[in-house]
Structure formats: C-alpha cells, structure tokens
C-alpha cells in the first residue's frame, strides 16, 4: 500500500492471504457446519512480535459468532482518501466468544502486511468479514466411533490455521491421533513456538516434527535443508492409516507436498490444501 493510500487508525492482524481448496473433489459430505459469516467491527486488543518478520494480533470482534479451527476472515482497510484493500487471513484461534487471534507475516513489497505488522496498535479498529470457509476445517472427533488420524503439514506462516486445529484438539482432550510436520527457515521463524511445545507435551496425542531449511538449533540431529520426500515419508502418518491431511503454505510448497503425498499412496480426496499468497 502506497504512502498516499496508507490506512488510517485501522489495522488488523495476520497470516498471508489464502485460497483454500482440495487436491481432488471430495467424496461424501466433507464440509462442516460453521457459523454464519457477516461484517463486524474489530478492536485490536493486543499486539506482539511473533517472529522477526511477523506480528500476532488479538482482536475483540463485536458480534463475532465464533469460528471453527481452520477458518479464515477478510480484513478491509480504508484509507483517508477512500481507497480500500481487502485481504483474507487465517484465524489462529477457534471456538465461541468474541476474541479472534491472527498472525501476519510482513512482506517487504506487500500492499497490506507492512501496515498490519508495523503500524497497528491496541485500540485501532478495523472491519472484518467472517468466519469464512467450511472445507479446510477440523472439529473435535471425540464422539466419532473410530476417528481418522490427522496429519498437518505447514510451510512457514502456513502453520496459522493448523495451529488452530492442534489447539482445538488439545482443548477438547480429543483422542484423535494428530501430527504436525512444520517446515520453517530458522528457529526464530517458528510461529507459536511456546504453544506448540506445550501441545507436544499435553495429554492429547500430538506429535511435532520440525524441518529447518536455513539454520537449525544447537544440537539438532540433522543439517538444515528444504523438506524432502524422504523426510515427509518418515514423519507423516502412513497412507495405510488413512489420515485426513491438511497442507498449508506457499503455492509451490503445497503443490510439491501434495504430489509427494499422492506418490506415497494417500487418496487425493483425503488431502485438503490452502495456499498463501502475497498481501
């Protein structure tokens, strides 16, 4: 967003714009009943640095109907000259109540994200539309007779909606086997680092595997490098166990991982994807 169109006293959180989809048309009923979407006024309650390039924002949203884990919302910013920009952001929280958590990565050439990360302050107000999405969604499966395991695969800021699923899983003390394979550049670039560590230690069955592409923590057993097909095969729930797989990240990351999953025998109808674009 140019200086001439810089938004005034509005701002809002989080993650990159996203487009949800599936590798293949889903079979049977796959969409989840979700709250009705609408426009709402949100007030920024708190901001904090999430990573060196990202910020976390807590929003208090008037009239928010709650949301399912994995849903997203639209944020509309309006400048003093009337210019508007609307972007979609994944929600890092779920459940009832009016508090919504977002996390946005700042793109140097982005139109919206630099303002959201650097300029938004508590008390700022913005317009949000949501909750949105009924396919890239997970709900607790405790009532199911034999819940299918869930494999989450994230690239960078693509972890935002997957974190919401993992947190909802733990909050419900759900018995469904859960795994998260998280590809990220460096230890400092991990979103929700403390929360993910706590989830891995919680009672609900959750396993966290991290692949660092540029720099690893001290004492890490493997050298840095981009995630490989072999690492995916070693860390992911096997196709024979028929997991539901959620993949979120950049377009290239998602397409590469989805292709590997199909090569490894996963049913394309069980692979749900969400791609992040620039904002």
């Amino acid at each position: 967003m140019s200086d001439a169109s810089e938004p005034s006293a509005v701002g809002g959180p989080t993650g990159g714009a996203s487009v949800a989809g599936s590798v293949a048309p889903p079979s049977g009923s796959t969409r989840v009943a979700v709250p009705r979407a609408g426009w709402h006024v949100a007030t920024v309650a708190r901001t904090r640095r999430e990573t060196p390039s990202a910020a976390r924002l807590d929003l208090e949203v008037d009239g928010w109907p709650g949301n399912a884990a994995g849903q997203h919302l639209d944020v509309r910013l309006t400048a003093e000259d009337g210019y508007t920009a609307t972007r979609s952001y994944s929600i890092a929280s779920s459940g009832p109540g009016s508090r919504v958590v977002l996390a946005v990565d700042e793109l140097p050439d982005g139109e919206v994200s630099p303002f959201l990360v650097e300029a938004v302050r508590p008390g700022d107000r913005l317009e949000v539309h949501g909750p949105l999405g009924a396919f890239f969604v997970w709900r607790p499966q405790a009532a199911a007779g034999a819940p299918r395991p869930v494999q989450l695969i994230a690239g960078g800021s693509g972890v935002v909606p997957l974190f919401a699923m993992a947190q909802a899983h733990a909050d419900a003390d759900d018995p469904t086997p859960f795994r998260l394979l998280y590809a990220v550049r460096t230890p400092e670039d991990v979103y929700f680092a403390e929360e993910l560590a706590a989830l891995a230690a919680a009672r609900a069955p959750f396993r966290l595997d991290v692949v660092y592409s540029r720099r690893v923590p001290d004492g890490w057993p493997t050298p840095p490098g981009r995630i490989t097909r072999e690492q995916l095969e070693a860390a992911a729930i096997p196709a024979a166990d028929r997991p539901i797989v959620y993949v979120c990240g950049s377009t290239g990351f998602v397409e590469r991982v989805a292709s590997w999953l199909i090569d490894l025998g996963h049913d394309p109808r069980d692979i749900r994807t969400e791609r992040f674009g620039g904002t």
Side-chain angles (χ1 to χ4, degrees), residues 186-244:
T186 73
E188 291 75 27
D189 292 311
V190 174
Y191 283 64
F192 312 108
E194 294 182 2
E195 292 90 341
L196 288 173
L199 289 174
R203 185 169 65 174
F206 175 75
R207 170 175 157 179
L208 173 64
D209 296 284
V210 183
V211 176
Y212 298 98
S213 62
R214 294 190 179 179
R215 181 168 50 81
V216 300
D218 293 340
W220 197 252
T222 57
R226 289 192 175 186
I227 189 171
T228 65
R229 183 183 183 278
E230 290 70 29
Q231 288 173 315
L232 174 66
E233 183 176 15
I237 298 172
D241 293 346
R242 299 186 61 244
I244 300 295

Side-chain angles (χ1 to χ4, degrees), residues 36-69:
R36 186 180 182 88
W39 282 101
H40 305 274
V41 175
T43 301
V44 178
R46 185 177 68 160
T47 66
R48 56 174 277 191
R49 183 63 60 169
E50 185 65 32
T51 74
S53 64
R56 186 189 309 196
L57 292 90
D58 291 1
L59 304 180
E60 192 65 32
V61 185
D62 185 36
W64 186 251
N67 63 276

